[in-house]
Amino acid sequence: MKKIVERARRGDPEAFISLMEANKQMLYKVAKGYLKQEDDIADAIQETMLAAFEHIRELKKAAYFRTWLTRILINKCMDILRRQQIVSPTENVPEQVYFNTEQSNLEFTQLLDLLPEESRMIFLLHYGERFSSREIAEILDMNENTVKTRLNRGRKLLAHKLQMA
Amino acid sequence: MNQKRMEEILAQNLELSSTVEDRINETYRQIRVQAMKRNANAARRVPAVDLAKTGGRKKVFKTVALFAATLTLFGCMAAALEEPLNQFWMSCMGVNQEIVGEMIVTDPEIVCLTDDMPLTIQDIYVDGSNLVFSAAAGEEIDYTLYAMDHSTVNGVDCLLYFYQTKVEEGIAYYQGEIKLSQEVEGDLLDITIRLYEKEEIREIRFQTNAEGLQATKWIPDQTFELDYAKIEVTGISAAPSELQMTFDYSFDDYEKAKEFEWQLLYKLENDKGEVLDTMYGSAGYASDLTENGDKWTCRVYLSITGFDYTSEYVKVTPYTPECDSEGRAIPDTGTVHEEKAFTVSLVGEDN
């Protein structure tokens, strides 16, 4: 993996594309955590890949690649959400529309909706993508202890919700 | 649903919608186009280096190193606009440029083992580290060819970098760069590359002479016990096209290890006193600082073009460069750690 990142840093497009292929599930799931429409998700992923290709030489260590890529994606998702608020400031974010009816996707999106909002992304990065608390803190630009607290609180809230259901 | 089930759902793969899949494929196409444009721009920036007019080897060395600094910003990816096995790739060869030039075979004898071969090999360069060829696509190929980044040479899996260098009068020209290893041996090189063609993969196979493999020195592993660390140097090879080795550092003291982590760059001195900076090549952590029992270890790999491969040794001196406001190292600045230098013999196994 590190050698591929190094080759991508040296400008090899095939190495970069193989990194994107290896990470596209992660990109899709994280973008789905923020955005509801598939077109918006596609925009966020595309903008992320192009920005990452443009700036990969600035990546200091290959080991940080996934953290760095995820952070770019989250910034792109936030940009899209901000743009949508500027265009329609009085409208709420549209209701969840399940364009993709695959069973696995349905369970995933339903679970995201069930998760407490403050810890939704933390859960996804921790359980879905196996990022450590420290990496999540870097990705979401928050204190590591906050990550741990929200993870813990989220687990309790989720258990309570499931019990109620 | 319990927590275990929740974790399973979050960790499972999702079915990407066709909207997203299509956009990702379109993005890959854009990335390939961008890379080609970048290569072409890089090649235009680099004037040809005329060895005869530079008046002295050291001057050539510095000039080429300066070019190489510009070039490596673009990943040392070659893109010929004018020459076979282009000037850009050649200028990365530094002081070995002349010997590399002599080793390029134009109109090589190629045994083609593929029916309807879409490429005509025009020039080929072989040493133990790299096999580089230029090729023209047949007139019937009216689309850009892309290749998988794994090729096979004499049954050994080897990384391939393959890209279009120019299109002239409707003919597209390509360059392929294959990284070889010591496992590749024999009198003939049997090469298979895999081209993406529409939605299929088309294998092409050809054979060429392996004489150039002899131009590489494979050097035994070496160990250095220094005050601050023990260094095991392995995978040492010196070829006209590239000097490669791996450093396995082992530290007793965490503080020394952490301090070292910021000294990634090296100055490499040959037996003529000429110095090349790894800022113009590639030195990177193959593994981060890791605790191993009572030791701290890390692995650094080094790969650089332009180091005099005939040198009997390379003196490796780490240094900490100064960085600009964007974190980029500034050439010829910083602190040189002379006390941490070590000298790797480049005398090959057969010497």
PDB file of all heavy atoms in Angstrom, chain A residues 48-79:
ATOM      1  N   THR A  48     -13.403  14.938  -4.746  1.00  0.00           N
ATOM      2  CA  THR A  48     -12.370  14.434  -3.830  1.00  0.00           C
ATOM      3  C   THR A  48     -11.228  13.786  -4.599  1.00  0.00           C
ATOM      4  O   THR A  48     -10.049  14.048  -4.342  1.00  0.00           O
ATOM      5  CB  THR A  48     -12.990  13.393  -2.869  1.00  0.00           C
ATOM      6  OG1 THR A  48     -14.012  14.051  -2.134  1.00  0.00           O
ATOM      7  CG2 THR A  48     -11.953  12.817  -1.924  1.00  0.00           C
ATOM      8  N   MET A  49     -11.574  12.928  -5.555  1.00  0.00           N
ATOM      9  CA  MET A  49     -10.531  12.216  -6.309  1.00  0.00           C
ATOM     10  C   MET A  49      -9.663  13.208  -7.093  1.00  0.00           C
ATOM     11  O   MET A  49      -8.430  13.086  -7.110  1.00  0.00           O
ATOM     12  CB  MET A  49     -11.160  11.206  -7.270  1.00  0.00           C
ATOM     13  CG  MET A  49     -11.730   9.992  -6.559  1.00  0.00           C
ATOM     14  SD  MET A  49     -12.423   8.832  -7.773  1.00  0.00           S
ATOM     15  CE  MET A  49     -12.849   7.447  -6.720  1.00  0.00           C
ATOM     16  N   LEU A  50     -10.290  14.191  -7.711  1.00  0.00           N
ATOM     17  CA  LEU A  50      -9.513  15.146  -8.508  1.00  0.00           C
ATOM     18  C   LEU A  50      -8.615  16.001  -7.603  1.00  0.00           C
ATOM     19  O   LEU A  50      -7.453  16.263  -7.920  1.00  0.00           O
ATOM     20  CB  LEU A  50     -10.447  16.026  -9.351  1.00  0.00           C
ATOM     21  CG  LEU A  50     -11.183  15.289 -10.475  1.00  0.00           C
ATOM     22  CD1 LEU A  50     -12.212  16.194 -11.158  1.00  0.00           C
ATOM     23  CD2 LEU A  50     -10.221  14.733 -11.528  1.00  0.00           C
ATOM     24  N   ALA A  51      -9.168  16.417  -6.460  1.00  0.00           N
ATOM     25  CA  ALA A  51      -8.363  17.225  -5.533  1.00  0.00           C
ATOM     26  C   ALA A  51      -7.204  16.400  -4.983  1.00  0.00           C
ATOM     27  O   ALA A  51      -6.073  16.888  -4.849  1.00  0.00           O
ATOM     28  CB  ALA A  51      -9.232  17.740  -4.396  1.00  0.00           C
ATOM     29  N   ALA A  52      -7.479  15.146  -4.672  1.00  0.00           N
ATOM     30  CA  ALA A  52      -6.420  14.284  -4.123  1.00  0.00           C
ATOM     31  C   ALA A  52      -5.322  14.072  -5.165  1.00  0.00           C
ATOM     32  O   ALA A  52      -4.127  14.099  -4.839  1.00  0.00           O
ATOM     33  CB  ALA A  52      -7.008  12.947  -3.686  1.00  0.00           C
ATOM     34  N   PHE A  53      -5.711  13.861  -6.419  1.00  0.00           N
ATOM     35  CA  PHE A  53      -4.699  13.668  -7.468  1.00  0.00           C
ATOM     36  C   PHE A  53      -3.849  14.930  -7.644  1.00  0.00           C
ATOM     37  O   PHE A  53      -2.638  14.864  -7.822  1.00  0.00           O
ATOM     38  CB  PHE A  53      -5.383  13.304  -8.790  1.00  0.00           C
ATOM     39  CG  PHE A  53      -4.411  12.969  -9.894  1.00  0.00           C
ATOM     40  CD1 PHE A  53      -3.576  11.879  -9.776  1.00  0.00           C
ATOM     41  CD2 PHE A  53      -4.329  13.747 -11.033  1.00  0.00           C
ATOM     42  CE1 PHE A  53      -2.665  11.559 -10.776  1.00  0.00           C
ATOM     43  CE2 PHE A  53      -3.421  13.436 -12.041  1.00  0.00           C
ATOM     44  CZ  PHE A  53      -2.592  12.341 -11.913  1.00  0.00           C
ATOM     45  N   GLU A  54      -4.506  16.070  -7.533  1.00  0.00           N
ATOM     46  CA  GLU A  54      -3.814  17.359  -7.685  1.00  0.00           C
ATOM     47  C   GLU A  54      -2.796  17.575  -6.553  1.00  0.00           C
ATOM     48  O   GLU A  54      -1.711  18.099  -6.770  1.00  0.00           O
ATOM     49  CB  GLU A  54      -4.885  18.458  -7.654  1.00  0.00           C
ATOM     50  CG  GLU A  54      -4.376  19.883  -7.741  1.00  0.00           C
ATOM     51  CD  GLU A  54      -4.058  20.271  -9.169  1.00  0.00           C
ATOM     52  OE1 GLU A  54      -4.655  19.675 -10.073  1.00  0.00           O
ATOM     53  OE2 GLU A  54      -3.199  21.157  -9.350  1.00  0.00           O
ATOM     54  N   HIS A  55      -3.170  17.154  -5.346  1.00  0.00           N
ATOM     55  CA  HIS A  55      -2.368  17.535  -4.167  1.00  0.00           C
ATOM     56  C   HIS A  55      -1.601  16.389  -3.525  1.00  0.00           C
ATOM     57  O   HIS A  55      -0.997  16.592  -2.474  1.00  0.00           O
ATOM     58  CB  HIS A  55      -3.273  18.186  -3.121  1.00  0.00           C
ATOM     59  CG  HIS A  55      -3.871  19.471  -3.608  1.00  0.00           C
ATOM     60  ND1 HIS A  55      -3.138  20.623  -3.760  1.00  0.00           N
ATOM     61  CD2 HIS A  55      -5.129  19.770  -4.010  1.00  0.00           C
ATOM     62  CE1 HIS A  55      -3.917  21.581  -4.222  1.00  0.00           C
ATOM     63  NE2 HIS A  55      -5.126  21.094  -4.395  1.00  0.00           N
ATOM     64  N   ILE A  56      -1.609  15.221  -4.130  1.00  0.00           N
ATOM     65  CA  ILE A  56      -1.020  14.067  -3.422  1.00  0.00           C
ATOM     66  C   ILE A  56       0.477  14.257  -3.128  1.00  0.00           C
ATOM     67  O   ILE A  56       0.994  13.711  -2.165  1.00  0.00           O
ATOM     68  CB  ILE A  56      -1.288  12.732  -4.167  1.00  0.00           C
ATOM     69  CG1 ILE A  56      -0.934  11.559  -3.246  1.00  0.00           C
ATOM     70  CG2 ILE A  56      -0.561  12.663  -5.500  1.00  0.00           C
ATOM     71  CD1 ILE A  56      -1.492  10.245  -3.663  1.00  0.00           C
ATOM     72  N   ARG A  57       1.144  15.081  -3.909  1.00  0.00           N
ATOM     73  CA  ARG A  57       2.569  15.312  -3.630  1.00  0.00           C
ATOM     74  C   ARG A  57       2.776  16.017  -2.288  1.00  0.00           C
ATOM     75  O   ARG A  57       3.850  16.004  -1.725  1.00  0.00           O
ATOM     76  CB  ARG A  57       3.195  16.158  -4.727  1.00  0.00           C
ATOM     77  CG  ARG A  57       3.359  15.403  -6.000  1.00  0.00           C
ATOM     78  CD  ARG A  57       4.130  16.208  -7.024  1.00  0.00           C
ATOM     79  NE  ARG A  57       3.863  15.647  -8.317  1.00  0.00           N
ATOM     80  CZ  ARG A  57       2.924  16.083  -9.137  1.00  0.00           C
ATOM     81  NH1 ARG A  57       2.184  17.114  -8.789  1.00  0.00           N
ATOM     82  NH2 ARG A  57       2.719  15.510 -10.289  1.00  0.00           N
ATOM     83  N   GLU A  58       1.730  16.693  -1.819  1.00  0.00           N
ATOM     84  CA  GLU A  58       1.861  17.419  -0.551  1.00  0.00           C
ATOM     85  C   GLU A  58       1.652  16.497   0.654  1.00  0.00           C
ATOM     86  O   GLU A  58       1.865  16.912   1.793  1.00  0.00           O
ATOM     87  CB  GLU A  58       0.843  18.560  -0.501  1.00  0.00           C
ATOM     88  CG  GLU A  58       1.139  19.626  -1.555  1.00  0.00           C
ATOM     89  CD  GLU A  58      -0.090  20.447  -1.905  1.00  0.00           C
ATOM     90  OE1 GLU A  58      -0.965  20.612  -1.043  1.00  0.00           O
ATOM     91  OE2 GLU A  58      -0.173  20.910  -3.058  1.00  0.00           O
ATOM     92  N   LEU A  59       1.218  15.273   0.398  1.00  0.00           N
ATOM     93  CA  LEU A  59       1.010  14.323   1.490  1.00  0.00           C
ATOM     94  C   LEU A  59       2.369  13.963   2.088  1.00  0.00           C
ATOM     95  O   LEU A  59       3.263  13.499   1.388  1.00  0.00           O
ATOM     96  CB  LEU A  59       0.327  13.065   0.937  1.00  0.00           C
ATOM     97  CG  LEU A  59       0.063  11.930   1.914  1.00  0.00           C
ATOM     98  CD1 LEU A  59      -0.961  12.349   2.959  1.00  0.00           C
ATOM     99  CD2 LEU A  59      -0.454  10.708   1.161  1.00  0.00           C
ATOM    100  N   LYS A  60       2.506  14.182   3.418  1.00  0.00           N
ATOM    101  CA  LYS A  60       3.841  14.020   4.006  1.00  0.00           C
ATOM    102  C   LYS A  60       4.225  12.552   4.201  1.00  0.00           C
ATOM    103  O   LYS A  60       5.353  12.167   3.995  1.00  0.00           O
ATOM    104  CB  LYS A  60       3.904  14.769   5.331  1.00  0.00           C
ATOM    105  CG  LYS A  60       3.796  16.281   5.128  1.00  0.00           C
ATOM    106  CD  LYS A  60       4.650  17.039   6.124  1.00  0.00           C
ATOM    107  CE  LYS A  60       4.747  18.508   5.792  1.00  0.00           C
ATOM    108  NZ  LYS A  60       3.508  19.251   5.983  1.00  0.00           N
ATOM    109  N   LYS A  61       3.264  11.739   4.632  1.00  0.00           N
ATOM    110  CA  LYS A  61       3.597  10.332   4.875  1.00  0.00           C
ATOM    111  C   LYS A  61       2.545   9.434   4.254  1.00  0.00           C
ATOM    112  O   LYS A  61       1.343   9.691   4.416  1.00  0.00           O
ATOM    113  CB  LYS A  61       3.647  10.054   6.377  1.00  0.00           C
ATOM    114  CG  LYS A  61       4.951  10.402   7.026  1.00  0.00           C
ATOM    115  CD  LYS A  61       4.973   9.809   8.404  1.00  0.00           C
ATOM    116  CE  LYS A  61       6.254  10.168   9.109  1.00  0.00           C
ATOM    117  NZ  LYS A  61       6.288   9.583  10.455  1.00  0.00           N
ATOM    118  N   ALA A  62       3.022   8.389   3.621  1.00  0.00           N
ATOM    119  CA  ALA A  62       2.092   7.461   2.964  1.00  0.00           C
ATOM    120  C   ALA A  62       1.087   6.889   3.967  1.00  0.00           C
ATOM    121  O   ALA A  62      -0.073   6.645   3.624  1.00  0.00           O
ATOM    122  CB  ALA A  62       2.879   6.336   2.305  1.00  0.00           C
ATOM    123  N   ALA A  63       1.531   6.716   5.209  1.00  0.00           N
ATOM    124  CA  ALA A  63       0.654   6.110   6.215  1.00  0.00           C
ATOM    125  C   ALA A  63      -0.577   6.971   6.497  1.00  0.00           C
ATOM    126  O   ALA A  63      -1.591   6.475   6.987  1.00  0.00           O
ATOM    127  CB  ALA A  63       1.433   5.885   7.503  1.00  0.00           C
ATOM    128  N   TYR A  64      -0.487   8.251   6.195  1.00  0.00           N
ATOM    129  CA  TYR A  64      -1.621   9.149   6.466  1.00  0.00           C
ATOM    130  C   TYR A  64      -2.609   9.181   5.308  1.00  0.00           C
ATOM    131  O   TYR A  64      -3.557   9.954   5.325  1.00  0.00           O
ATOM    132  CB  TYR A  64      -1.119  10.580   6.702  1.00  0.00           C
ATOM    133  CG  TYR A  64      -0.221  10.757   7.889  1.00  0.00           C
ATOM    134  CD1 TYR A  64       0.673  11.819   7.961  1.00  0.00           C
ATOM    135  CD2 TYR A  64      -0.264   9.860   8.960  1.00  0.00           C
ATOM    136  CE1 TYR A  64       1.513  11.982   9.056  1.00  0.00           C
ATOM    137  CE2 TYR A  64       0.575  10.013  10.051  1.00  0.00           C
ATOM    138  CZ  TYR A  64       1.463  11.075  10.093  1.00  0.00           C
ATOM    139  OH  TYR A  64       2.286  11.226  11.163  1.00  0.00           O
ATOM    140  N   PHE A  65      -2.373   8.405   4.270  1.00  0.00           N
ATOM    141  CA  PHE A  65      -3.161   8.559   3.043  1.00  0.00           C
ATOM    142  C   PHE A  65      -4.675   8.474   3.268  1.00  0.00           C
ATOM    143  O   PHE A  65      -5.432   9.336   2.833  1.00  0.00           O
ATOM    144  CB  PHE A  65      -2.719   7.518   1.994  1.00  0.00           C
ATOM    145  CG  PHE A  65      -3.577   7.557   0.766  1.00  0.00           C
ATOM    146  CD1 PHE A  65      -3.419   8.573  -0.162  1.00  0.00           C
ATOM    147  CD2 PHE A  65      -4.573   6.623   0.550  1.00  0.00           C
ATOM    148  CE1 PHE A  65      -4.232   8.643  -1.281  1.00  0.00           C
ATOM    149  CE2 PHE A  65      -5.388   6.690  -0.564  1.00  0.00           C
ATOM    150  CZ  PHE A  65      -5.209   7.703  -1.481  1.00  0.00           C
ATOM    151  N   ARG A  66      -5.116   7.425   3.963  1.00  0.00           N
ATOM    152  CA  ARG A  66      -6.574   7.238   4.119  1.00  0.00           C
ATOM    153  C   ARG A  66      -7.189   8.360   4.951  1.00  0.00           C
ATOM    154  O   ARG A  66      -8.271   8.840   4.665  1.00  0.00           O
ATOM    155  CB  ARG A  66      -6.870   5.890   4.781  1.00  0.00           C
ATOM    156  CG  ARG A  66      -6.889   4.739   3.800  1.00  0.00           C
ATOM    157  CD  ARG A  66      -7.335   3.466   4.468  1.00  0.00           C
ATOM    158  NE  ARG A  66      -8.772   3.310   4.422  1.00  0.00           N
ATOM    159  CZ  ARG A  66      -9.523   2.936   5.446  1.00  0.00           C
ATOM    160  NH1 ARG A  66      -8.981   2.682   6.606  1.00  0.00           N
ATOM    161  NH2 ARG A  66     -10.824   2.800   5.306  1.00  0.00           N
ATOM    162  N   THR A  67      -6.473   8.749   6.003  1.00  0.00           N
ATOM    163  CA  THR A  67      -6.969   9.835   6.849  1.00  0.00           C
ATOM    164  C   THR A  67      -7.101  11.111   6.025  1.00  0.00           C
ATOM    165  O   THR A  67      -8.103  11.816   6.072  1.00  0.00           O
ATOM    166  CB  THR A  67      -5.963  10.089   8.008  1.00  0.00           C
ATOM    167  OG1 THR A  67      -5.585   8.850   8.550  1.00  0.00           O
ATOM    168  CG2 THR A  67      -6.547  10.973   9.063  1.00  0.00           C
ATOM    169  N   TRP A  68      -6.055  11.373   5.255  1.00  0.00           N
ATOM    170  CA  TRP A  68      -5.996  12.578   4.419  1.00  0.00           C
ATOM    171  C   TRP A  68      -7.129  12.570   3.378  1.00  0.00           C
ATOM    172  O   TRP A  68      -7.845  13.560   3.203  1.00  0.00           O
ATOM    173  CB  TRP A  68      -4.609  12.584   3.758  1.00  0.00           C
ATOM    174  CG  TRP A  68      -4.345  13.631   2.743  1.00  0.00           C
ATOM    175  CD1 TRP A  68      -4.061  14.943   2.986  1.00  0.00           C
ATOM    176  CD2 TRP A  68      -4.290  13.458   1.319  1.00  0.00           C
ATOM    177  NE1 TRP A  68      -3.839  15.596   1.790  1.00  0.00           N
ATOM    178  CE2 TRP A  68      -3.971  14.712   0.765  1.00  0.00           C
ATOM    179  CE3 TRP A  68      -4.477  12.369   0.471  1.00  0.00           C
ATOM    180  CZ2 TRP A  68      -3.832  14.901  -0.609  1.00  0.00           C
ATOM    181  CZ3 TRP A  68      -4.337  12.554  -0.890  1.00  0.00           C
ATOM    182  CH2 TRP A  68      -4.024  13.808  -1.409  1.00  0.00           C
ATOM    183  N   LEU A  69      -7.314  11.417   2.735  1.00  0.00           N
ATOM    184  CA  LEU A  69      -8.341  11.306   1.695  1.00  0.00           C
ATOM    185  C   LEU A  69      -9.741  11.499   2.302  1.00  0.00           C
ATOM    186  O   LEU A  69     -10.592  12.188   1.735  1.00  0.00           O
ATOM    187  CB  LEU A  69      -8.240   9.928   1.023  1.00  0.00           C
ATOM    188  CG  LEU A  69      -9.173   9.661  -0.136  1.00  0.00           C
ATOM    189  CD1 LEU A  69      -8.797  10.523  -1.346  1.00  0.00           C
ATOM    190  CD2 LEU A  69      -9.131   8.188  -0.550  1.00  0.00           C
ATOM    191  N   THR A  70      -9.952  10.904   3.468  1.00  0.00           N
ATOM    192  CA  THR A  70     -11.262  11.006   4.113  1.00  0.00           C
ATOM    193  C   THR A  70     -11.564  12.451   4.494  1.00  0.00           C
ATOM    194  O   THR A  70     -12.677  12.933   4.367  1.00  0.00           O
ATOM    195  CB  THR A  70     -11.306  10.117   5.380  1.00  0.00           C
ATOM    196  OG1 THR A  70     -10.813   8.837   5.039  1.00  0.00           O
ATOM    197  CG2 THR A  70     -12.713   9.979   5.913  1.00  0.00           C
ATOM    198  N   ARG A  71     -10.529  13.127   4.934  1.00  0.00           N
ATOM    199  CA  ARG A  71     -10.719  14.530   5.324  1.00  0.00           C
ATOM    200  C   ARG A  71     -11.091  15.388   4.102  1.00  0.00           C
ATOM    201  O   ARG A  71     -11.955  16.258   4.187  1.00  0.00           O
ATOM    202  CB  ARG A  71      -9.444  15.044   5.990  1.00  0.00           C
ATOM    203  CG  ARG A  71      -9.685  16.354   6.613  1.00  0.00           C
ATOM    204  CD  ARG A  71      -8.751  16.686   7.723  1.00  0.00           C
ATOM    205  NE  ARG A  71      -9.165  18.014   8.181  1.00  0.00           N
ATOM    206  CZ  ARG A  71      -8.820  18.541   9.294  1.00  0.00           C
ATOM    207  NH1 ARG A  71      -8.078  17.880  10.118  1.00  0.00           N
ATOM    208  NH2 ARG A  71      -9.226  19.743   9.623  1.00  0.00           N
ATOM    209  N   ILE A  72     -10.439  15.131   2.992  1.00  0.00           N
ATOM    210  CA  ILE A  72     -10.796  15.872   1.773  1.00  0.00           C
ATOM    211  C   ILE A  72     -12.265  15.607   1.437  1.00  0.00           C
ATOM    212  O   ILE A  72     -13.035  16.519   1.149  1.00  0.00           O
ATOM    213  CB  ILE A  72      -9.902  15.451   0.574  1.00  0.00           C
ATOM    214  CG1 ILE A  72      -8.446  15.815   0.833  1.00  0.00           C
ATOM    215  CG2 ILE A  72     -10.380  16.118  -0.721  1.00  0.00           C
ATOM    216  CD1 ILE A  72      -7.493  15.329  -0.262  1.00  0.00           C
ATOM    217  N   LEU A  73     -12.658  14.337   1.515  1.00  0.00           N
ATOM    218  CA  LEU A  73     -14.039  13.975   1.170  1.00  0.00           C
ATOM    219  C   LEU A  73     -15.036  14.702   2.076  1.00  0.00           C
ATOM    220  O   LEU A  73     -16.040  15.240   1.595  1.00  0.00           O
ATOM    221  CB  LEU A  73     -14.219  12.453   1.295  1.00  0.00           C
ATOM    222  CG  LEU A  73     -15.656  11.968   1.085  1.00  0.00           C
ATOM    223  CD1 LEU A  73     -16.084  12.135  -0.369  1.00  0.00           C
ATOM    224  CD2 LEU A  73     -15.804  10.513   1.487  1.00  0.00           C
ATOM    225  N   ILE A  74     -14.744  14.700   3.359  1.00  0.00           N
ATOM    226  CA  ILE A  74     -15.684  15.336   4.288  1.00  0.00           C
ATOM    227  C   ILE A  74     -15.788  16.834   3.973  1.00  0.00           C
ATOM    228  O   ILE A  74     -16.883  17.405   3.975  1.00  0.00           O
ATOM    229  CB  ILE A  74     -15.260  15.054   5.749  1.00  0.00           C
ATOM    230  CG1 ILE A  74     -15.517  13.572   6.053  1.00  0.00           C
ATOM    231  CG2 ILE A  74     -16.019  15.950   6.730  1.00  0.00           C
ATOM    232  CD1 ILE A  74     -15.054  13.103   7.403  1.00  0.00           C
ATOM    233  N   ASN A  75     -14.675  17.469   3.670  1.00  0.00           N
ATOM    234  CA  ASN A  75     -14.716  18.896   3.290  1.00  0.00           C
ATOM    235  C   ASN A  75     -15.579  19.103   2.049  1.00  0.00           C
ATOM    236  O   ASN A  75     -16.342  20.055   1.960  1.00  0.00           O
ATOM    237  CB  ASN A  75     -13.308  19.426   3.037  1.00  0.00           C
ATOM    238  CG  ASN A  75     -12.556  19.621   4.342  1.00  0.00           C
ATOM    239  OD1 ASN A  75     -13.158  19.756   5.399  1.00  0.00           O
ATOM    240  ND2 ASN A  75     -11.225  19.610   4.269  1.00  0.00           N
ATOM    241  N   LYS A  76     -15.446  18.194   1.086  1.00  0.00           N
ATOM    242  CA  LYS A  76     -16.240  18.322  -0.150  1.00  0.00           C
ATOM    243  C   LYS A  76     -17.730  18.141   0.159  1.00  0.00           C
ATOM    244  O   LYS A  76     -18.571  18.835  -0.395  1.00  0.00           O
ATOM    245  CB  LYS A  76     -15.798  17.285  -1.197  1.00  0.00           C
ATOM    246  CG  LYS A  76     -14.370  17.471  -1.688  1.00  0.00           C
ATOM    247  CD  LYS A  76     -14.212  18.752  -2.464  1.00  0.00           C
ATOM    248  CE  LYS A  76     -12.761  18.979  -2.867  1.00  0.00           C
ATOM    249  NZ  LYS A  76     -12.515  20.350  -3.334  1.00  0.00           N
ATOM    250  N   CYS A  77     -18.047  17.174   1.026  1.00  0.00           N
ATOM    251  CA  CYS A  77     -19.449  16.953   1.397  1.00  0.00           C
ATOM    252  C   CYS A  77     -20.009  18.202   2.086  1.00  0.00           C
ATOM    253  O   CYS A  77     -21.134  18.624   1.808  1.00  0.00           O
ATOM    254  CB  CYS A  77     -19.574  15.754   2.346  1.00  0.00           C
ATOM    255  SG  CYS A  77     -19.228  14.179   1.551  1.00  0.00           S
ATOM    256  N   MET A  78     -19.201  18.779   2.976  1.00  0.00           N
ATOM    257  CA  MET A  78     -19.653  19.984   3.682  1.00  0.00           C
ATOM    258  C   MET A  78     -19.856  21.136   2.701  1.00  0.00           C
ATOM    259  O   MET A  78     -20.805  21.904   2.824  1.00  0.00           O
ATOM    260  CB  MET A  78     -18.629  20.398   4.762  1.00  0.00           C
ATOM    261  CG  MET A  78     -18.367  19.350   5.817  1.00  0.00           C
ATOM    262  SD  MET A  78     -19.836  18.839   6.705  1.00  0.00           S
ATOM    263  CE  MET A  78     -19.977  20.131   7.882  1.00  0.00           C
ATOM    264  N   ASP A  79     -18.956  21.241   1.701  1.00  0.00           N
ATOM    265  CA  ASP A  79     -19.105  22.292   0.679  1.00  0.00           C
ATOM    266  C   ASP A  79     -20.448  22.129  -0.039  1.00  0.00           C
ATOM    267  O   ASP A  79     -21.155  23.094  -0.288  1.00  0.00           O
ATOM    268  CB  ASP A  79     -17.984  22.190  -0.378  1.00  0.00           C
ATOM    269  CG  ASP A  79     -16.663  22.706   0.157  1.00  0.00           C
ATOM    270  OD1 ASP A  79     -16.674  23.348   1.229  1.00  0.00           O
ATOM    271  OD2 ASP A  79     -15.627  22.454  -0.492  1.00  0.00           O
TER     272      ASP A  79
END
